[in-house]
Each structure stands twice: as C-alpha cells, then as structure tokens.
Amino acid sequence: METLLKVDGVSKKYGGKLALNSVSLSIGPGRIVGLLGSNGSGKSTLMRIAAGLTPPSSGSISVLGKPVGKETRSLISYMPDLPLTESWMRVKDAVAFYQDFYADFDLEKAREMLDFMNLKENDRVSSLSKGMGERLQLTLALSRQVNLYLLDEPIGGVDPVARGKILDAIVRFYSEDSSLIVCTHLVRDMERIFDEVMFIQDGVIVLHEEVESIRINRGKGIDDLFKEVFGE
Amino acid sequence: MSIEFDNNLPIYLQIMNHIKRQIVSGILQPGDKIPSVRELAADLQINPNTIQRTFQELEREEVVETRRGLGRYVTSEESKIMAIKKEMAGELLHRFIHGMQELGFENQDIVSIVSEAVAEDRKQSVKEGAKGGNTAQS
C-alpha cells in the first residue's frame, strides 16, 4: 500500500520525561484514523511532531516521502486543541487570515462549511461559545486542500448533540483521497467515522488495527476495547 | 434514514441489513435509486469507506446494481428480493428455533406451538378487522 505518513522510531523527550518512545507507524491515503489515548499519553505530542511544530528528539517522520518540515507545510493542515485566531477578529477576518496565509485555502468550501455550521461571517470570534469556536477551527482546517489533516480533539468542548454536527461535517467535507488523523479520548462518539485506530499509552503505540476487523475478530466495539486496554 | 447502531458488531453488516429490510418492507422499491456513498456517510455519520464496503457487498449479492455514471439502484429482479426475504426469514427462524430448543422444547412441540400461535393471531386479526370495518389485512 502507498504510504502517506511514515513515522519511524520517533521519540520525544521533555526534560527527563519520555513523551514518545520509539513510535513507528504508517498511514495510507484516503483513511480516517483515530489516535486514541488518555490524557498525557503522548497523542498531542505525536500530532504536533507530525504537523512539524516541534522536532522529534530522535527518529524520522515523512509525508509523501518528504521529511516533515518546510516542504510538507503545504501537505498538512493541523487543527490545534487551542484556537489560532485572535480575539479582535470576526469570523470573516479569521477566514481572510487563513486565505492570505495558505495558497491552498478553498474560500468557496469555507463559505459552504460556515453555512453548514451556522457560523455568521460577522460573528466575533471572542463571542463564540466553545463549541462554535471548535466549528470555526474545523472549518478553517478542512478548507485547506492538503493531503493530511490532523485534528486534535475536534469535539472536546461540545455537548453530545453538537458532536453529531461536527462528525457530520468531518464526513461531509473531508476530501476522499486525503487522510485524516483525529486524536480524541471521546471514543464512543467518534468510533464509527474511523477506518482504523491507534491506541497510544505512555508514549507507545500499543495497537493499530482496522476498526471493522476489531469488531469482527473480537466481537466488541472500539470503546469497549479502549476501556479494556486502558483499564477504565 | 436513521439506524440505531451496535458498536460491537461490524457496521457494514448492520447497514446492509438495514437496506435489505427497507427493500423487503417496500420502503425502497425495485429500481429505486439509493443514496451516494457521501450522502449516506454524512446522514449516518459513518466512515465513507464503510459505506463503500456495504455497497460493494450488496452489489456482490446482486441486491443493488451500479449504472455507470448514474449511481446505484435497487435490483428490479423480483426473484432477488424474494431471496432476501427468504434469507431474512431463515435467520429469524433459526434464532427462534434455537431459542425454543434452549427453553427445552422438542421440535414437534415447537411446530404445534407455532401453529396454535398462528391460528390465535388469525382469530385476533379477524376480530380487529370486524371492529374496524374492512381494514386490509395482508
């Protein structure tokens, strides 16, 4: 299978603490992948390294064969768990900011998504609820035309009803030949949109499998397996 | 379309069964167009590749057919739809018989219990039919 993202023996140390311990994995194109782990498991660290925001202490990571760095910026769109927008901005300013910044930004798609998300161009970013803020971040991240989307906790701050809307948007608006890695601890809510899942525990990938194979071979869902592995 | 999913079972099988039930019950008619992968994925909030797999399996079983450039349609062959009906009835029966056996019933007891229940059900329908005028009973 063709490889989109390749992570090879990546470790990350913060002071004396090992946040990632020799992680290796590869992801093909056209996949929605869940990166699942509890708080402090290293999942956000792995996302930040894949996004090129922080270098690994050792090991290598590449997208479409190019080492992650300057060259891969136009291949990856990253939705951080904290907003990148400024408080003075209105929704349209945030969109304009992204459009200025990224040549691959698709304004038409952004407008379509804003509409779907019930976001108004004149809304102040600072007055948005946490859930609406997440909708805006997701809109901005998915409106770029790239090969790899990295979404860090896209449904962390929203209530169960609004989660449905965000899942709907992810499935509706992601482009089919690109891949999406979603990191979350809300496994039950998200498991049905994944092709495959990775469990990360103490900086180590302890499982990486197709979700339907897990259901077929183990007769249980991802949430149940997650609870078993993480002993909740 | 909405489905109550059981996350512990393969999702593609659940969607396959859902579509088959819709065909058998007439909600989807022979020759009807079925939604695209993207539409159904968004409606059900399900991974698009899972929907793709569902459709591939339904095609393999000749329950739906692809018309190039037009989309997917429910088969127009009555015999196919009859076959799905039989298959689903077979599953129901199998579960029923197995459950009765677990309760300790012998096969001939099961047969007489079923025929009594069917007769009782028929009486009940006739009564209700009489009350409600000429309600169509199929």
Side-chain angles (χ1 to χ4, degrees):
Chain A
M1 191 177 63
E2 205 187 329
T3 303
L4 178 60
L5 172 70
K6 186 160 181 56
V7 176
D8 198 6
V10 162
S11 296
K12 180 74 182 177
K13 271 188 197 138
Y14 287 116
K17 193 180 176 296
L18 203 54
L20 289 177
N21 187 358
S22 190
V23 167
S24 296
L25 58 96
S26 61
I27 306 282
R31 314 288 288 170
I32 303 182
V33 183
L35 177 59
L36 315 177
S38 43
N39 291 329
S41 55
K43 56 188 194 302
S44 287
T45 303
L46 182 54
M47 295 286 265
R48 290 173 55 80
I49 290 174
L53 296 174
T54 182
S57 308
S58 60
S60 68
I61 178 160
S62 63
V63 173
L64 289 174
K66 294 176 185 163
V68 164
K70 253 185 199 161
E71 264 194 287
T72 61
R73 271 186 208 159
S74 58
L75 305 176
I76 302 170
S77 179
Y78 170 67
M79 173 187 167
D81 53 353
L82 293 170
L84 284 176
T85 44
E86 300 280 342
S87 57
W88 57 267
M89 288 179 167
R90 292 177 191 272
V91 167
K92 61 179 173 198
D93 300 318
V95 170
F97 179 72
Y98 259 68
Q99 201 190 0
D100 278 353
F101 211 78
Y102 297 108
D104 51 48
F105 193 79
D106 181 343
L107 186 58
E108 203 170 313
K109 186 173 178 185
R111 289 201 169 126
E112 202 184 322
M113 268 192 89
L114 288 179
D115 191 42
F116 179 80
M117 296 292 206
N118 294 320
L119 284 160
K120 305 276 176 293
E121 296 209 359
N122 279 323
D123 286 347
R124 281 193 179 280
V125 167
S126 56
S127 70
L128 296 176
S129 66
K130 195 161 183 217
M132 290 307 269
E134 283 179 346
R135 290 185 189 198
L136 176 60
Q137 296 305 321
L138 185 67
T139 299
L140 296 172
L142 289 188
S143 293
R144 292 187 54 204
Q145 305 285 356
V146 296
N147 298 84
L148 179 63
Y149 298 88
L150 303 167
L151 311 179
D152 197 345
E153 296 283 3
I155 61 168
V158 300
D159 56 85
V161 179
R163 280 174 199 164
K165 188 81 174 169
I166 291 204
L167 294 187
D168 194 342
I170 291 175
V171 174
R172 204 177 285 272
F173 290 103
Y174 105 104
S175 39
E176 269 160 43
D177 35 6
S178 56
S179 283
L180 213 131
I181 302 178
V182 186
C183 102
T184 186
H185 63 278
L186 297 166
V187 182
R188 183 174 295 279
D189 289 300
M190 300 207 75
E191 68 169 85
R192 292 204 297 266
I193 73 162
F194 297 139
D195 286 291
E196 50 193 274
V197 288
M198 299 184 285
F199 286 4
I200 183 167
Q201 195 172 32
D202 300 328
V204 178
I205 302 278
V206 293
L207 177 143
H208 184 178
E209 225 176 301
E210 302 248 345
V211 290
E212 291 281 68
S213 314
I214 291 175
R215 294 190 187 105
I216 292 167
N217 297 333
R218 307 182 196 225
K220 64 179 70 161
I222 314 311
D223 192 45
D224 285 354
L225 184 62
F226 184 79
K227 284 178 179 154
E228 199 179 288
V229 170
F230 289 85
E232 278 178 31
Chain B
M1 205 186 279
S2 82
I3 310 180
E4 281 294 318
F5 286 104
D6 179 349
N7 281 341
N8 300 324
L9 299 171
I11 304 293
Y12 82 94
L13 283 178
Q14 296 180 61
I15 306 173
M16 274 179 82
N17 284 333
H18 179 79
I19 291 175
K20 285 181 181 175
R21 270 197 299 275
Q22 287 195 316
I23 294 172
V24 166
S25 63
I27 296 172
L28 279 173
Q29 293 282 332
D32 272 1
K33 191 169 197 243
I34 59 173
S36 71
V37 168
R38 189 49 77 102
E39 278 165 6
L40 198 55
D43 275 1
L44 300 176
Q45 290 161 20
I46 293 287
N47 180 287
N49 290 323
T50 306
I51 306 284
Q52 186 69 40
R53 179 164 180 193
T54 304
F55 286 168
Q56 274 166 4
E57 291 292 318
L58 287 172
E59 268 167 33
R60 204 176 49 78
E61 294 186 5
E62 297 174 25
V63 175
V64 305
E65 54 194 26
T66 301
R67 296 181 203 158
R68 203 177 286 257
L70 292 173
R72 289 188 182 80
Y73 294 81
V74 176
T75 181
S76 305
E77 279 180 55
E78 293 290 341
S79 64
K80 262 291 150 204
I81 295 172
M82 211 50 216
I84 306 169
K85 232 176 217 183
K86 275 196 185 138
E87 179 200 318
M88 295 186 98
E91 281 166 21
L92 266 180
L93 272 174
H94 177 76
R95 250 181 307 176
F96 170 74
I97 293 170
H98 191 71
M100 292 297 273
Q101 283 166 344
E102 271 186 353
L103 291 176
F105 288 105
E106 299 290 335
N107 283 352
Q108 63 263 39
D109 297 335
I110 299 176
V111 172
S112 55
I113 288 168
V114 169
S115 63
E116 274 167 37
V118 169
E120 187 59 33
D121 190 57
R122 191 176 296 144
K123 246 191 278 171
Q124 207 66 31
S125 315
V126 170
K127 234 188 264 171
E128 276 167 22
K131 243 187 276 169
N134 58 347
T135 327
Q137 289 287 340
S138 54

